[in-house]
Amino acid sequence: MKKLALASIALCAFSAHAQLNKHSESVADYAVNNYQNAQVHTLTNLVSFPTVNKSEISAPQNPDFIGFKALLKMKAAELGFDYQDLGYTVLIGMGEQKEKVTIVTHGDVQPANASKWKQSPFIIDTSEPGKLVGRGTEDDKGAIATALYAMKAIKDKGIELDNRIELMIYLAEESDWGPLTEFMKTYEQPKYAVTIDASYPVVVAEKGWSLIAPTFDATSPQTDVYVSNVTGGAFASQIPEDASLTLHNASTELVAQLKQTAKALKRVEFTFDDQIDGTLISVKGMSAHSSEPESGVNAIAYLAELFKTVEIENNSDGQLIKFVNQLIGLDIHGKQFGNIAYEHKFMGPMTVAPTVIERDGNNLTLAVNARRPMGKEADLLEQQINSALTQWQADNKVTLANVKTTIGTPMLLDNAPHAQKLLDIFKHFTGDEQADFVSIGGGTNAKLFDNAVSFGPSMPGKRYTGHSEHEFITLEQLELNLRMYTAMMIELGNM
């Protein structure tokens, strides 16, 4: 998360924070005293459904999503809310007022490598004191559970609201925004929209999710030093924790040199295993959400770094290693990638990270996930990317088999009418009077609404664990979220 002063944009015009509604604090206390255990129980049940989207079946037809929605329907009935199943989108509502506040979440999750978890990532692990470890706990099922019980507390206390509260749960946020984009063409825009799929204090800017995906398809004589079986990463929006390759035709001296180099790269752990036809070299880094590459340790980048001064043949695997070394390296801001690097005063610098390698026979595709801020036109950025790729191919006397480029659209709201109220809530419940509006590298469904900002559930200054192989939320954070989301619904419900 990037936190910068807002002196140069219109958000500085917001007035000093004001008093909260007289009911906000008392109902927030009531919510925690009565529903903290219930939201943990509900989160446990939500996590038990492995709602990972699959290419061969749509979410509405996927048994895991069907079961997940059945649970939501049951909870809505139990808590006294209306429920609508609209295929890819579920709406759970409180009140029949004409105007509404939409709370935006998602129920799908990223894949999880079970071998990296103490137990199944779809069973809540409580072995670490104060933590609930499991896929979706922070992104975004914890927020769903919290929102349900914030609504319940308000209903219990009979608080009258001017606006309907509508919890929107989308089922393909991690993989396909198409169905929601289509849905939004007929969904009446709310008076206020808040996504609870990001960070505190209040997110008013999001970088654009972008992708550079070169494909390498080449053979080599295999007479000199070469590498094969390059692997790394799990999915495009995760900093890769593991990467490996097999080194062939290397002398004893070269292997010894590489081991010395590996020892100097202290942020990762290398292993060298002798094989019949070469040496298997593996590297262990640390996974993280690719919107915050600084929070992880990129195994693919470090594997390439090991070969920075080693001449290897230009087969597909060798080309990929050279590509990462020469155009990305260990830098996370694209400074080696031609002229693509840039920075926005509030949103911060663009980030660039190699995230996953996909193989189809001799065909290797590298996903390079970039998060771009405002400050450079998409056409110019794409032109600079293409120029860097052309120059790299010329310098290395290779031809890429294909390149796929996606340039995402960043978002910056300087006039969201409810942003200051959310900041007031955060300051009130945390005591952090220095809290300010922030920008994040991630992209949420806020971009599909007229005036959506994001409010939690991740605290500033703490590592975001969503998309990592050790995702968790703390009991303390769930309690704080319940307080603030209850207050949020009361404040915006009467605004």
Side-chain angles (χ1 to χ4, degrees):
M1 180 182 67
K2 188 70 176 177
K3 179 176 179 179
L4 296 167
L6 284 168
S8 63
I9 65 176
L11 278 167
C12 65
F14 283 127
S15 60
H17 67 93
Q19 293 295 313
L20 300 186
N21 182 291
K22 64 180 180 180
H23 297 297
S24 292
E25 186 157 13
S26 63
V27 182
D29 286 342
Y30 170 84
V32 169
N33 291 336
N34 287 272
Y35 293 121
Q36 171 71 353
N37 290 338
Q39 72 163 334
V40 172
H41 182 263
T42 296
L43 174 57
T44 300
N45 289 334
L46 293 174
V47 167
S48 70
F49 292 93
T51 49
V52 178
N53 272 292
K54 299 176 173 63
S55 59
E56 65 272 17
I57 185 171
S58 67
Q61 278 74 51
N62 185 321
D64 294 319
F65 284 89
I66 291 171
F68 180 74
K69 288 198 285 186
L71 173 62
L72 291 173
K73 184 177 183 179
M74 181 188 73
K75 294 305 298 183
E78 174 190 319
L79 301 177
F81 307 133
D82 59 76
Y83 176 90
Q84 299 176 69
D85 180 352
L86 302 170
Y88 275 93
T89 304
V90 167
L91 299 177
I92 298 176
M94 179 175 70
E96 298 180 358
Q97 299 89 330
K98 181 178 179 181
E99 294 190 295
K100 64 192 173 190
V101 177
T102 301
I103 311 300
V104 187
T105 67
H106 65 89
D108 60 318
V109 296
Q110 288 285 5
N113 183 342
S115 68
K116 294 181 174 294
W117 300 67
K118 291 180 182 178
Q119 60 182 38
S120 167
F122 300 105
I123 298 174
I124 291 290
D125 178 1
T126 59
S127 64
E128 299 177 43
K131 293 180 180 178
L132 302 175
V133 181
R135 176 58 88 222
T137 49
E138 189 167 34
D139 182 25
D140 197 26
K141 293 178 179 178
I144 293 172
T146 301
L148 287 171
Y149 288 100
M151 293 166 68
K152 175 60 173 169
I154 295 168
K155 184 178 179 66
D156 285 354
K157 303 302 284 185
I159 304 300
E160 293 187 6
L161 302 177
D162 295 331
N163 306 314
R164 168 180 164 85
I165 304 297
E166 193 161 86
L167 177 63
M168 176 184 287
I169 304 168
Y170 180 54
L171 301 181
E173 191 271 348
E174 301 287 11
S175 59
D176 184 5
W177 284 26
L180 184 59
T181 301
E182 192 64 26
F183 175 77
M184 291 302 294
K185 292 177 180 178
T186 56
Y187 182 74
E188 184 178 350
Q189 284 284 339
K191 189 175 182 180
Y192 309 110
V194 181
T195 68
I196 48 176
D197 180 30
S199 306
Y200 294 115
V202 182
V203 177
V204 297
E206 298 179 359
K207 294 178 181 177
W209 192 100
S210 304
L211 181 73
I212 308 164
T215 297
F216 310 87
D217 187 7
T219 57
S220 67
Q222 300 185 356
T223 53
D224 294 318
V225 177
Y226 73 98
V227 296
S228 69
N229 301 318
V230 174
T231 64
F235 49 91
S237 56
Q238 182 191 69
I239 296 301
E241 186 164 284
D242 299 286
S244 65
L245 57 74
T246 302
L247 174 66
H248 304 271
N249 296 339
S251 65
T252 303
E253 291 76 17
L254 176 56
V255 173
Q257 173 193 324
L258 290 172
K259 288 180 178 179
Q260 283 299 115
T261 302
K263 287 181 180 179
L265 298 173
K266 298 186 181 299
R267 296 191 69 199
V268 294
E269 179 182 340
F270 281 94
T271 57
F272 291 74
D273 294 314
D274 291 334
Q275 308 284 307
I276 294 175
D277 62 342
T279 302
L280 174 64
I281 303 175
S282 305
V283 59
K284 175 73 176 293
M286 183 171 67
S287 63
H289 198 298
S290 63
S291 67
E292 297 183 353
E294 69 279 6
S295 297
V297 182
N298 195 310
I300 293 176
Y302 272 90
L303 182 64
E305 182 74 10
L306 186 68
F307 288 86
K308 195 170 185 178
T309 61
V310 179
E311 187 62 38
I312 54 179
E313 291 186 5
N314 268 340
N315 61 354
S316 299
D317 303 72
Q319 288 181 15
L320 187 149
I321 291 296
K322 289 179 181 179
F323 183 94
V324 174
N325 257 330
Q326 295 170 13
L327 289 183
I328 303 172
L330 299 182
D331 172 65
I332 62 171
H333 296 128
K335 294 178 181 178
Q336 295 177 203
F337 209 116
N339 297 313
I340 72 171
Y342 71 105
E343 184 169 349
H344 183 268
K345 186 175 183 180
F346 173 60
M347 297 179 73
M350 180 168 69
T351 61
V352 177
T355 54
V356 65
I357 300 166
E358 295 183 347
R359 181 181 294 275
D360 181 8
N362 193 54
N363 205 292
L364 282 182
T365 299
L366 172 69
V368 180
N369 188 204
R371 307 292 177 119
R372 63 176 287 254
M374 305 286 283
K376 181 182 286 190
E377 293 297 322
D379 288 347
L380 175 58
L381 179 57
E382 186 166 15
Q383 176 187 329
Q384 291 174 335
I385 290 170
N386 291 336
S387 177
L389 294 175
T390 298
Q391 187 63 53
W392 181 82
Q393 291 174 88
D395 290 345
N396 288 276
K397 297 181 174 58
V398 302
T399 301
L400 292 171
N402 187 37
V403 178
K404 176 183 176 182
T405 304
T406 302
I407 307 296
T409 303
M411 178 194 82
L412 174 60
L413 286 178
D414 60 3
N415 59 353
H418 53 313
Q420 181 64 47
K421 179 60 70 175
L422 294 175
L423 188 60
D424 294 345
I425 293 167
F426 182 83
K427 289 182 176 182
H428 180 86
F429 285 97
T430 65
D432 181 3
E433 289 299 320
Q434 303 306 310
D436 207 344
F437 304 102
V438 297
S439 172
I440 59 170
T444 74
N445 291 146
K447 291 184 173 74
L448 301 181
F449 291 79
D450 289 346
N451 65 0
V453 297
S454 292
F455 191 53
S458 175
M459 289 295 282
K462 294 187 177 180
R463 180 174 178 265
Y464 184 67
T465 65
H467 293 210
S468 78
E469 300 297 351
H470 186 246
E471 181 176 355
F472 67 87
I473 195 165
T474 65
L475 293 170
E476 179 183 25
Q477 189 62 49
L478 276 175
E479 179 179 319
L480 179 59
N481 290 345
L482 184 54
R483 290 184 189 280
M484 292 199 284
Y485 288 176
T486 303
M488 169 184 70
M489 292 178 188
I490 293 173
E491 296 294 327
L492 300 189
N494 283 311
M495 186 171 164

